[in-house]
C-alpha cells in the first residue's frame, strides 16, 4: 500500500483526501492487472507509478487553475495526465484521446470501475479529431507524446481563442525550444510561462504553457507525415 504521501504534500502543498487515495489505489490496481494485456507502461512498481506518473501528472496544477475547465488530453496512453486530473479535479470536463484503440479499451475500464463522470475516451488521431472538434476546449494538455514542434501543431486547433496548451516535458524541453523551427509563429500560439520543477528524485520536469490568441490558420494541423518531416523529429 503506497504511504509516501509526504512527497505529495511537499510538491503539491496538500495530502490527498481519503476518497482520492481510494481512487488512486483502484487505478493502480487496474493498471497492474491489465498492463500486459494492453501494453501500458514499463513503470510498474507502486512507488514509481505514484511518483513518476500520478504526481508528475499534477505538478503543473500548483501554478495553474483547472477547475471547471473543458480539457482534452492528447495521446493520453494509460490516462496520464487525464485520469489523474479527473480524480483530483472532478468538476473538470475531460476528453481523453489516443490513436491506439487498446489504450481506449483500458481507459473505458478505468472510467467504469472508478465511476468517473464528465469524462470520455476517444479513439482517433489528434490531427484528425482537431479538425472535427475545431476550437472547442479551454485547455489542451499533452505529456510525453511528441517533439515540441510536432505536438504544438497537434494541439493548437483543439483550443478555443484564449485557450491554453500545457505540455508536460522532461529535461530536454530547453533543447526542444532552442531547436524549434519557430512553428508557433505560424500556428499563432505563444509561450507564456515555463515551469521548471526541481529534481525530486525522478528527474527535472519542465512544463510549458502556451496561449492561443487568434484562430488557427486553416492549413494546420497538416497530415502527420508532413508535420514530422518538417520538424525533423518525431
Ligand atoms: C509515450 S505515450 C505517452 C502516454 C501518456 N501521455 C504518458 O505520459 O504516459 C504516447 C501516446 O501518444 C499516442 N499518440 C501518438 N501520436 C498520436 C496522435 N497523432 N494522435 C493521438 N494519439 C497519439 C500513442 O498511441 C501513445 O499512447
Amino acid at each position: 500500500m503506497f504511504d509516501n504521501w509526504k512527497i505529495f504534500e511537499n510538491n503539491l502543498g496538500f495530502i490527498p483526501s481519503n476518497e482520492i487515495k481510494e481512487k488512486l489505489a483502484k487505478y493502480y490496481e487496474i493498471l497492474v492487472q491489465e498492463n500486459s494485456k494492453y501494453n501500458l507502461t514499463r513503470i510498474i512498481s507502486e512507488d514509481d507509478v505514484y511518483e513518476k506518473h500520478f504526481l508528475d501528472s499534477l505538478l503543473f496544477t500548483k501554478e495553474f487553475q483547472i477547475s471547471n475547465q473543458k480539457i482534452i488530453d492528447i495521446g493520453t496512453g494509460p490516462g496520464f495526465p487525464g485520469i489523474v486530473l479527473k480524480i483530483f479535479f472532478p468538476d473538470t470536463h475531460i476528453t481523453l484521446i489516443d490513436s491506439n484503440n487498446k489504450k481506449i479499451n483500458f481507459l473505458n475500464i478505468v472510467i467504469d470501475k472508478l465511476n468517473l463522470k464528465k469524462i470520455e475516451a476517444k479513439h482517433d488521431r489528434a490531427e484528425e479529431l482537431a479538425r472535427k472538434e475545431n476550437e472547442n476546449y479551454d485547455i489542451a494538455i499533452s505529456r510525453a507524446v511528441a517533439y515540441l514542434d510536432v505536438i504544438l501543431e497537434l494541439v493548437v486547433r483543439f483550443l478555443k481563442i484564449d485557450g491554453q496548451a500545457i505540455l508536460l516535458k522532461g529535461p530536454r524541453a530547453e533543447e526542444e525550444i532552442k531547436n524549434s523551427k519557430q512553428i508557433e509563429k505560424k500556428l499563432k500560439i505563444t509561450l507564456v510561462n515555463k515551469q521548471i520543477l526541481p529534481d525530486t528524485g525522478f528527474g527535472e520536469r519542465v512544463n510549458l504553457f502556451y496561449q492561443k490568441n487568434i484562430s488557427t490558420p486553416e492549413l494546420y494541423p497538416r497530415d502527420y507525415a508532413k508535420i514530422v518531416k518538417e520538424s525533423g523529429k518525431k
Side-chain angles (χ1 to χ4, degrees):
M1 189 72 159
F2 180 78
D3 60 5
N4 186 13
W5 296 109
K6 199 89 199 136
I7 194 164
F8 277 71
E9 189 174 26
N10 290 345
N11 285 283
L12 299 175
F14 66 95
I15 292 183
S17 66
N18 286 342
E19 194 185 336
I20 290 175
K21 285 181 185 173
E22 277 165 29
K23 284 206 155 70
L24 292 177
K26 212 179 245 181
Y27 183 23
Y28 174 69
E29 190 187 307
I30 305 168
L31 190 73
V32 173
Q33 267 167 11
E34 306 291 345
N35 195 34
S36 57
K37 188 151 126 213
Y38 295 101
N39 197 12
L40 301 166
T41 175
R42 269 173 292 149
I43 294 173
I44 208 62
S45 91
E46 196 174 44
D47 282 357
D48 279 354
V49 170
Y50 272 76
E51 291 166 25
K52 295 180 185 166
H53 282 322
F54 294 170
L55 178 59
D56 188 57
S57 293
L58 292 162
L59 291 172
F60 81 93
T61 63
K62 260 174 89 168
E63 284 191 19
F64 195 90
Q65 280 285 328
I66 63 162
S67 282
N68 284 312
Q69 303 282 293
K70 193 169 178 197
I71 301 171
I72 184 159
D73 177 12
I74 295 154
T76 185
F80 307 134
I83 293 275
V84 187
L85 294 177
K86 173 60 29 185
I87 291 172
F88 275 77
F89 302 94
D91 63 358
T92 49
H93 187 293
I94 298 198
T95 300
L96 308 167
I97 149 173
D98 204 285
S99 55
N100 178 335
N101 202 31
K102 274 186 158 188
K103 307 272 166 61
I104 300 303
N105 291 339
F106 167 77
L107 292 166
N108 280 324
I109 294 172
V110 176
I111 291 170
D112 186 43
K113 290 203 171 156
L114 269 60
N115 197 21
L116 301 175
K117 305 289 181 215
K118 292 198 289 174
I119 184 163
E120 62 202 332
K122 292 190 176 182
H123 175 223
D124 211 331
R125 292 200 61 86
E127 59 278 23
E128 285 161 22
L129 188 66
R131 290 203 177 268
K132 293 178 224 160
E133 299 222 333
N134 200 28
E135 311 201 326
N136 196 19
Y137 293 89
D138 303 305
I139 297 170
I141 192 160
S142 192
R143 176 179 185 255
V145 172
Y147 204 74
L148 183 59
D149 283 1
V150 176
I151 193 65
L152 278 173
E153 188 162 340
L154 294 182
V155 304
V156 67
R157 180 167 292 280
F158 284 106
L159 292 170
K160 295 176 184 170
I161 293 168
D162 290 335
Q164 295 233 357
I166 304 176
L167 307 180
L168 310 188
K169 295 216 158 261
R172 290 209 304 267
E174 291 294 349
E175 186 190 316
E176 292 186 29
I177 292 172
K178 210 170 80 205
N179 294 338
S180 163
K181 304 213 164 96
Q182 303 291 306
I183 189 76
E184 6 12 323
K185 285 196 188 126
K186 294 181 191 158
L187 297 175
K188 310 290 180 201
I189 192 164
T190 315
L191 180 64
V192 289
N193 192 12
K194 209 184 322 172
Q195 181 189 26
I196 301 175
L197 298 151
D199 186 344
T200 49
F202 51 99
E204 185 186 74
R205 312 303 300 157
V206 180
N207 297 329
L208 305 176
F209 299 79
Y210 287 83
Q211 175 87 30
K212 165 164 163 174
N213 295 119
I214 60 171
S215 205
T216 304
E218 194 43 44
L219 178 64
Y220 303 107
R222 297 163 294 172
D223 72 64
Y224 191 73
K226 217 176 238 172
I227 303 174
V228 169
K229 189 169 173 215
E230 186 157 311
S231 76
K233 303 274 183 193
K234 275 204 170 183

